[in-house]
Amino acid sequence: MKKKLKLLTYGCQMNVADSERMAGLLGQIGYTLTDDADEADLVLINTCCVRATAEDKVFGQIGRFKALKRLKPSLILGVVGCMAQKEGANLIKRAPHVDFVLGTGQSSEVARVVRSLELERRHVVDTSNVSGEIPAEVFPLRGGRVSTFVPIMYGCDNFCTYCIVPHVRGRERSRKPEEIFAEVRRAIAEGFKEITLLGQNVNSYAGGMTFAELLSAVDNLGVERLRFMTSHPKDLSDELIAAIADGRGVCEHIHLPVQHGSDDILRRMNRVYTAEKYLRLVEKIRAAVPNISLTTDLIVGFPGETDDDFAATLDFVRAVKFDAAFTFIYSRRSGTPAATFPNQVDDAVKHRRLEILMDVQNEISLAKNSALVGKAVEVLVEGASKTDEKIFTGRTRSNKLVLFAHGTERAGDLVNVRVEQAQTFLLKGDVC
Ligand code: SAH
Ligand code: SF4
Ligand code: F3S
């Protein structure tokens, strides 16, 4: 009988990609995926610790499986990923019904560990090798049908003062180009139409060629649409801008986190650029790729953020006019420098600032989307919407979500849609 794996993935795309790789490895020892935790023989929780809210969700999930394990003692429960790396044995101390904890450097060992637990029950904790070599030739069990991720580098060396990621993901390591090309070719052969090259800082790629060279080389493999994330402003070279402008499949979209609009805060965040420098960069990108869509990440409530600092973020957002922004409340991560900075901002103030920032950005997003009404956009069809099977969803090259009335289109098709209506987070239209 086949063994069943219930996989829960939290956090960023990197975790999604890691989960697909672990599912691939567990497939080799007989596990197939299930949505239903009740029939699972193995539950794997792939975790995130970037903010306290992410950790709270994971603790909630771990707690949920306590009752299930009592009913079914043979169930194996594993916690992997960034929070596993950060907490290690603490997780088992807090929740002894967890069987194993593997850090980010141990994800390729998951099948070996599960097999040993099938034979003999004990607690396993391993958070070693956080900056270890990237295992070659892992065959991921890909979740999507149209779009998929290919990691090109792991880790982060930037040490932004608020961020836990460099501590739980280790130093920057790049995969070899040949391995990346082989994986992209396989994904294309499996029918994927869109590939996103992934890394904490994709544009600091250093696998023997520049990121711009890698992007162009992958583009030449013939993928329909090619994306990449996340880029750090400090490494966004002219060569990369040219590769986007000249690329065929390379989509006109850059996710370029700015984090803040105040130079004083940017300096204390260790972001190594000023607001002015970022603005110049945006001008350069827009001059080379006029229809580029720009998205960003912003943090409110960093320690010592004054009303004036916050006003600088609002001014900045109004000046750049991002297509969309992910906005976060600063979360104090122990072990990071900013956690010990004086003048931590009051919770109520943080929440108020977030609301104001979201209102400002939402108005800009709506205005940007409204400018597309009446225009035709190329949409990569994803499939039926969750709520109505007559409505299909897809994305533009600029990565905007589009809803349209379904005719004969199938997932993976490229169609032109005339935009009839714009909302803050999506466009609606009809195939033309
Ligand atoms: N490597 C990527 C992604 C990092 S995590 C990058 O540099 O952009 C994604 C986002 O989470 C970051 O861009 C940042 O905006 C946010 N983030 C990271 N640490 C945080 C913290 N302690 N509190 C709130 N937001 C945080
Ligand atoms: Fe975190 Fe900064 Fe690295 Fe991004 S670049 S993962 S925000 S330390
Ligand atoms: Fe979270 Fe780890 Fe990604 S901390 S944001 S899952 S790299």
Side-chain angles (χ1 to χ4, degrees):
M1 213 182 69
K2 286 266 184 202
K3 298 171 284 185
K4 298 279 187 198
L5 161 66
K6 168 75 181 171
L7 185 53
L8 291 113
T9 304
Y10 294 89
C12 64
Q13 290 87 346
M14 204 50 130
N15 264 16
V16 174
D18 286 350
S19 281
E20 291 178 345
R21 299 174 121 67
M22 287 186 270
L25 291 167
L26 290 164
Q28 292 173 4
I29 60 161
Y31 284 90
T32 54
L33 285 174
T34 175
D35 284 334
D36 181 7
D38 287 339
E39 66 164 22
D41 304 289
L42 167 64
V43 172
L44 201 58
I45 310 180
N46 192 4
T47 60
C48 173
C49 59
V50 76
R51 285 170 287 276
T53 45
E55 291 190 314
D56 294 344
K57 274 190 222 155
V58 169
F59 276 122
Q61 283 298 338
I62 292 175
R64 216 190 94 194
F65 289 107
K66 197 168 176 179
L68 189 62
K69 266 210 83 161
R70 214 175 286 135
L71 287 172
K72 188 177 179 182
S74 65
L75 176 70
I76 300 175
L77 176 60
V79 181
V80 296
C82 295
M83 188 179 165
Q85 183 65 45
K86 174 166 163 271
E87 296 296 328
N90 284 339
L91 283 174
I92 293 195
K93 230 178 261 162
R94 206 170 143 170
H97 64 288
V98 171
D99 295 291
F100 71 90
V101 176
L102 292 181
T104 57
Q106 292 297 323
S107 58
S108 59
E109 296 299 316
V110 69
R112 188 183 56 73
V113 169
V114 166
R115 194 135 44 186
S116 82
L117 291 182
E118 286 172 349
L119 298 172
E120 185 202 355
R121 279 317 178 82
R122 68 206 147 89
H123 280 140
V124 174
V125 178
D126 195 341
T127 54
S128 64
N129 204 32
V130 65
S131 295
E133 254 179 62
I134 305 163
E137 284 300 310
V138 175
F139 294 87
L141 184 66
R142 299 186 183 278
R145 284 161 58 213
V146 176
S147 310
T148 195
F149 300 119
V150 173
I152 63 162
M153 61 177 297
Y154 291 85
C156 179
D157 291 349
N158 291 331
F159 289 95
C160 302
T161 54
Y162 50 82
C163 187
I164 196 77
V165 171
H167 307 267
V168 293
R169 284 280 179 177
R171 301 290 61 75
E172 287 178 5
R173 290 143 286 158
S174 298
R175 291 179 78 194
K176 293 187 191 75
E178 312 80 67
E179 276 178 30
I180 297 167
F181 300 153
E183 193 174 328
V184 168
R185 281 199 199 93
R186 274 202 303 272
I188 295 173
E190 284 172 39
F192 288 96
K193 299 286 188 278
E194 178 176 270
I195 286 173
T196 304
L197 303 180
L198 278 189
Q200 297 303 338
N201 302 279
V202 272
N203 51 339
S204 342
Y205 178 79
M209 54 172 75
T210 64
F211 177 63
E213 287 166 344
L214 182 81
L215 190 69
S216 301
V218 172
D219 192 25
N220 285 336
L221 298 178
V223 49
E224 191 73 54
R225 282 186 177 184
L226 181 57
R227 303 185 183 279
F228 54 94
M229 72 184 307
T230 298
S231 305
H232 193 296
K234 80 175 164 53
D235 293 322
L236 204 117
S237 63
D238 293 352
E239 191 198 4
L240 176 56
I241 296 172
I244 300 165
D246 301 340
R248 191 199 53 83
V250 186
C251 290
E252 295 75 23
H253 171 227
I254 307 183
H255 183 62
L256 195 62
V258 66
Q259 312 297 359
H260 213 277
S262 148
D263 286 343
D264 183 45
I265 301 267
L266 285 171
R267 186 179 51 74
R268 293 194 299 115
M269 284 178 160
N270 191 31
R271 289 294 293 184
V272 303
Y273 52 80
T274 59
E276 180 65 24
K277 205 165 161 199
Y278 186 103
L279 279 173
R280 295 281 89 81
L281 183 58
V282 168
E283 277 171 13
K284 200 158 67 175
I285 297 167
R286 284 183 172 152
V289 193
N291 57 342
I292 194 95
S293 155
L294 275 178
T295 56
T296 201
D297 292 346
L298 293 157
I299 296 176
V300 299
F302 185 79
E305 183 189 65
T306 62
D307 284 338
D308 283 351
D309 290 323
F310 177 60
T313 290
L314 294 179
D315 287 345
F316 189 82
V317 162
R318 289 191 187 103
V320 177
K321 295 192 172 62
F322 292 105
D323 290 81
F326 295 97
T327 49
F328 304 109
I329 287 180
Y330 168 71
S331 174
R332 202 170 178 175
R333 307 282 71 205
S334 64
T336 63
T340 63
F341 287 0
N343 304 319
Q344 298 281 330
V345 177
D346 186 67
D347 261 356
V349 174
K350 284 183 189 169
H351 280 95
R352 203 161 53 236
R353 286 179 182 165
L354 182 74
E355 291 294 319
I356 296 169
L357 177 59
M358 282 168 69
D359 284 348
V360 169
Q361 177 55 44
N362 286 350
E363 205 178 301
I364 295 166
S365 299
L366 182 59
K368 286 242 157 179
N369 287 347
S370 299
L372 292 170
V373 172
K375 298 211 166 86
V377 290
E378 186 201 86
V379 172
L380 177 60
V381 180
E382 281 163 6
S385 78
K386 285 195 189 86
T387 47
D388 182 351
E389 60 186 45
K390 287 199 225 49
I391 301 294
F392 263 40
T393 67
R395 285 190 184 263
T396 63
R397 286 175 67 94
S398 56
N399 209 29
K400 291 178 196 273
L401 184 63
V402 181
L403 267 53
F404 60 96
H406 177 231
T408 56
E409 303 75 23
R410 289 180 315 174
D413 286 353
L414 282 175
V415 295
N416 286 315
V417 171
R418 177 144 345 260
V419 179
E420 312 281 354
Q421 199 197 328
Q423 296 179 4
T424 308
F425 302 111
L426 56 89
L427 304 167
K428 288 182 176 172
D430 287 309
V431 174
C432 57

